[in-house]
Amino acid sequence: MTGGATAQPDGAAARTRVRRLPHKQVHDVAARDALLRDALVAHVGVGLGTQPLVLPLAVAPDRGDGEDGDGPFERLLLHGSTGSRLFRALAEGAPACVTVTALDGLVLARSRFESSMRYRCLVALGRCEVLTGRAAERGLEVLTTHLLPGRTEARPPSRKELAATRVLALPLSEWSLKVSDDGPEDDPADLDLPVWAGVVPLHHVWGEPEPAPDLPPGLPVPPYLATWPGGRT
Amino acid sequence: MTGGATAQPDGAAARTRVRRLPHKQVHDVAARDALLRDALVAHVGVGLGTQPLVLPLAVAPDRGDGEDGDGPFERLLLHGSTGSRLFRALAEGAPACVTVTALDGLVLARSRFESSMRYRCLVALGRCEVLTGRAAERGLEVLTTHLLPGRTEARPPSRKELAATRVLALPLSEWSLKVSDDGPEDDPADLDLPVWAGVVPLHHVWGEPEPAPDLPPGLPVPPYLATWPGGRT
């Protein structure tokens, strides 16, 4: 019943079993990785004492050091300031929850009760590993390539900038994926109601690039922006 | 330094002070409420023992029982199954973090280090109140009106459906809002680099409604769908 790509200890399996609407749980690593390719942001939760804190962070999936093949992703990369409370807790190995959600539409059933959302949601549990040295530099390159595909011309980080940046990796060893991509699942008794039912898709599309006010004249919009994949969230 | 609309105890103030990039903290209740009007989903975190769990939930802002005016919102409404682990913990008064994020674009600076995102993010801390009886019914109406504006024709919940649904309210008493709506903030030394800089906006737009496969012929797409506000996340 768990979504792990690899064998998981029993405790881990129980923790990531989807309890609500379990038929929506998906064990397909390809579906998980498709969501991760679209993901720009994860919501990362840690406990600060008894108070959970949830913040949105840029995220990139990764295959691990030196692997640029096309196998399943092995971990999620995060980066942030060494001065951040959240990052300090994550770096100290606090139990974390990294949730990646794509909202794909609203599902309009004949009843309010069955109305819902079309979405994909990955929940990954675990503790982050701190990347340092060359692994941290490589992690930042993976993040840039994922978040800003094609943007090789931006100035790479200086020593000082690298020192101010914490790079973390959460192994994808304990995770679950829930996908709701159907239409309305109305109660049979409601099917004859004179109420329109269906799905209103929500699309995420790039707009027209806005040049910085201080951009010198003559610098064209980079051509790779026109090829950025839509649907990213 | 806090974002509360009302006076907050000192401890609360400290908990919601933005520490990273504090110049991005916004204390404007109107900006907060504009984000909440666009919000379809919140990421809700609770601790299950030492393990935080973060799940996306439908959300609606509310002015409190019986107030339908245009003053500031007073609380966030959530609904879910009475059988859900997360909802059980929330209903028992576990400390919660409800985070609402809108990703509005990517900021391309001349350096990778200064590249970032255009976003708005509300973090609300507190404990949820369980709504029952008429207050719960009203809460569900507020949720439907917010999530599916105009959809008055859907069948209202039955007694049994109401009994299976938990409705919770998180007071907006301890919150912070962070808004990043600028362009790139490049290091002065980078301004002469021959690198395009600016913002690529991300738009969230409704697609063409998809009728349910079992929809009887002759039921037109509801006209209110054409007026749904864009930009919702």
Side-chain angles (χ1 to χ4, degrees):
Chain A
M1 286 294 289
T2 63
T6 51
Q8 299 184 352
D10 283 353
R15 293 207 310 178
T16 50
R17 180 165 58 81
V18 169
R19 287 165 173 79
R20 297 312 309 162
L21 308 179
H23 62 284
K24 294 195 187 291
Q25 182 163 15
V26 172
H27 305 281
D28 179 357
V29 174
R32 181 199 69 182
D33 288 0
L35 170 61
L36 290 175
R37 273 190 294 271
D38 284 347
L40 299 168
V41 167
H43 280 81
V44 178
V46 290
L48 300 178
T50 59
Q51 175 63 55
L53 181 66
V54 179
L55 291 179
L57 294 175
V59 70
D62 185 34
R63 294 198 173 80
D65 279 358
E67 294 177 40
D68 296 318
D70 53 6
F73 293 123
E74 293 169 18
R75 57 188 194 169
L76 299 177
L77 299 180
L78 306 169
H79 74 311
S81 162
T82 51
S84 142
R85 268 186 307 175
L86 180 83
F87 266 79
R88 215 153 41 218
L90 293 172
E92 286 165 1
C97 179
V98 178
T99 299
V100 173
T101 305
L103 179 60
D104 298 322
L106 293 178
V107 178
L108 280 61
R110 280 94 169 168
S111 68
R112 285 204 242 148
F113 184 77
E114 292 292 349
S115 297
S116 61
M117 294 183 174
R118 185 178 272 186
Y119 64 90
R120 292 164 289 153
C121 177
L122 171 73
V123 173
L125 304 181
R127 295 168 193 267
C128 289
E129 179 195 354
V130 179
L131 304 187
T132 57
R134 177 63 198 134
E137 278 187 68
R138 183 191 160 279
L140 289 174
E141 283 160 21
V142 171
L143 277 154
T144 298
T145 304
H146 174 73
L147 299 168
L148 305 172
R151 191 155 176 82
T152 53
E153 72 277 29
R155 178 177 64 71
S158 65
R159 286 287 121 200
K160 191 177 159 192
E161 289 168 347
L162 285 173
T165 309
R166 180 98 70 186
V167 188
L168 301 174
L170 182 83
L172 281 169
S173 50
E174 191 180 346
W175 56 272
S176 74
L177 176 68
K178 210 164 162 184
V179 172
S180 183
D181 56 3
D182 287 333
E185 296 169 15
D186 274 297
D187 191 294
D190 291 332
L191 289 178
D192 292 333
L193 292 176
V195 174
W196 188 90
V199 175
V200 185
L202 187 59
H203 299 306
H204 311 281
V205 294
W206 299 110
E208 201 61 39
E210 303 168 3
D214 55 6
L215 196 71
L219 273 176
V221 171
Y224 52 79
L225 295 187
T227 69
W228 275 11
R232 305 202 70 184
T233 55
Chain B
M1 286 294 287
T2 63
T6 52
Q8 298 185 354
D10 283 354
R15 294 207 310 179
T16 49
R17 182 165 57 82
V18 169
R19 288 167 171 76
R20 297 310 312 160
L21 308 179
H23 62 285
K24 293 195 188 292
Q25 181 162 14
V26 172
H27 306 282
D28 179 357
V29 174
R32 181 200 70 182
D33 288 0
L35 169 62
L36 290 176
R37 272 190 294 274
D38 284 348
L40 299 168
V41 167
H43 279 80
V44 179
V46 290
L48 300 178
T50 59
Q51 176 63 56
L53 182 65
V54 179
L55 291 178
L57 294 175
V59 70
D62 185 36
R63 293 197 174 81
D65 280 357
E67 295 177 40
D68 295 319
D70 53 6
F73 293 123
E74 292 169 17
R75 57 189 195 169
L76 298 177
L77 299 180
L78 307 169
H79 74 312
S81 162
T82 51
S84 141
R85 266 186 308 176
L86 180 82
F87 265 79
R88 216 153 42 220
L90 293 172
E92 286 165 0
C97 179
V98 178
T99 299
V100 173
T101 306
L103 179 60
D104 298 322
L106 293 179
V107 178
L108 280 61
R110 280 94 170 168
S111 67
R112 285 205 243 149
F113 184 77
E114 293 292 348
S115 297
S116 61
M117 294 183 174
R118 186 178 271 187
Y119 65 89
R120 292 164 290 152
C121 177
L122 170 73
V123 173
L125 305 181
R127 295 168 194 267
C128 289
E129 178 196 355
V130 179
L131 304 187
T132 57
R134 177 63 200 135
E137 278 186 69
R138 183 192 161 279
L140 289 174
E141 283 160 22
V142 171
L143 277 154
T144 299
T145 304
H146 174 73
L147 299 168
L148 305 173
R151 192 156 175 81
T152 53
E153 72 276 28
R155 178 176 65 70
S158 65
R159 286 286 123 201
K160 192 176 156 192
E161 288 168 348
L162 284 173
T165 308
R166 180 97 71 186
V167 188
L168 301 174
L170 182 83
L172 282 169
S173 52
E174 192 179 346
W175 56 273
S176 73
L177 176 67
K178 209 164 163 183
V179 172
S180 183
D181 55 4
D182 287 333
E185 296 168 15
D186 274 297
D187 191 295
D190 290 332
L191 290 178
D192 291 332
L193 292 176
V195 174
W196 187 89
V199 175
V200 185
L202 187 59
H203 299 307
H204 311 281
V205 294
W206 300 110
E208 201 60 40
E210 304 169 3
D214 56 6
L215 196 71
L219 273 176
V221 170
Y224 52 79
L225 296 188
T227 69
W228 275 10
R232 304 201 72 185
T233 54

